Each structure stands twice: as structure tokens, then as C-alpha cells.
Amino acid sequence: YMKIKEGFVLRQVADATIVVPSGKASLDFNGMITLNETGAFLWKLLEPDTDEDAMVSAMLSEYDVDEKTARAGIRKFTGKLEGEGLLD
């Protein structure tokens, strides 16, 4: 299972969706992340515990995409989040 680490908050600022650290997380992560519509959708799925199969299912329901493309996109997105230390 995957989950966004505590202390990261999704915010809408003008036309942009951004992730900012708060509290203790701001000591370890200096900056912000800008997400596109799909990234924001996936981020929201990762706020509670979830797994890749549940995320793929949600993507297939929300977007006109095939399973292979959805799974590849999810892996790329979660890989970047892991690389930045944002996933538990």
C-alpha cells in the first residue's frame, strides 16, 4: 500500500494545483510541487492508503485511457513521489 506522507497539503492557487509541505515536513522538504489535473487526481487517491490496482481502476473510471497506459502513468507518478520522499 502507498500513502502520501503526513505534512503535505494539496492547494488550489489561481489556476494551479500545488503541493506544499507544512509543519515538520517543511523542515525536510523545501519547496513546492505543481500538479496537472491528472497528478492532482492521483494525489487525492494517495491521501488515504491505496494500492496500484485501486488507482488503475479509478483512472479507468475517470479518464479515457487503457489499463496499460494508466498503469505506466501511475508508476511514473508514484516513482517521482517516492524519489522525493513523499510516500509512506
Side-chain angles (χ1 to χ4, degrees), residues 53-67:
D53 289 336
M55 293 176 74
V56 169
S57 180
M59 284 284 292
L60 295 176
S61 294
E62 185 71 19
Y63 295 98
D64 183 21
V65 64
D66 62 81
E67 182 176 347

Side-chain angles (χ1 to χ4, degrees), residues 34-83:
T34 303
L35 299 176
N36 64 17
E37 177 187 335
T38 307
F41 178 80
L42 293 174
W43 181 276
K44 290 174 186 173
L45 293 175
L46 286 163
E47 287 177 333
D49 282 338
T50 192
D51 65 15
E52 186 177 294
D53 289 336
M55 293 176 74
V56 169
S57 180
M59 284 284 292
L60 295 176
S61 294
E62 185 71 19
Y63 295 98
D64 183 21
V65 64
D66 62 81
E67 182 176 347
K68 182 180 178 183
T69 303
R71 194 170 296 277
I74 289 166
R75 287 180 179 165
K76 183 177 180 182
F77 182 73
T78 57
K80 286 183 179 184
L81 294 179
E82 279 185 319

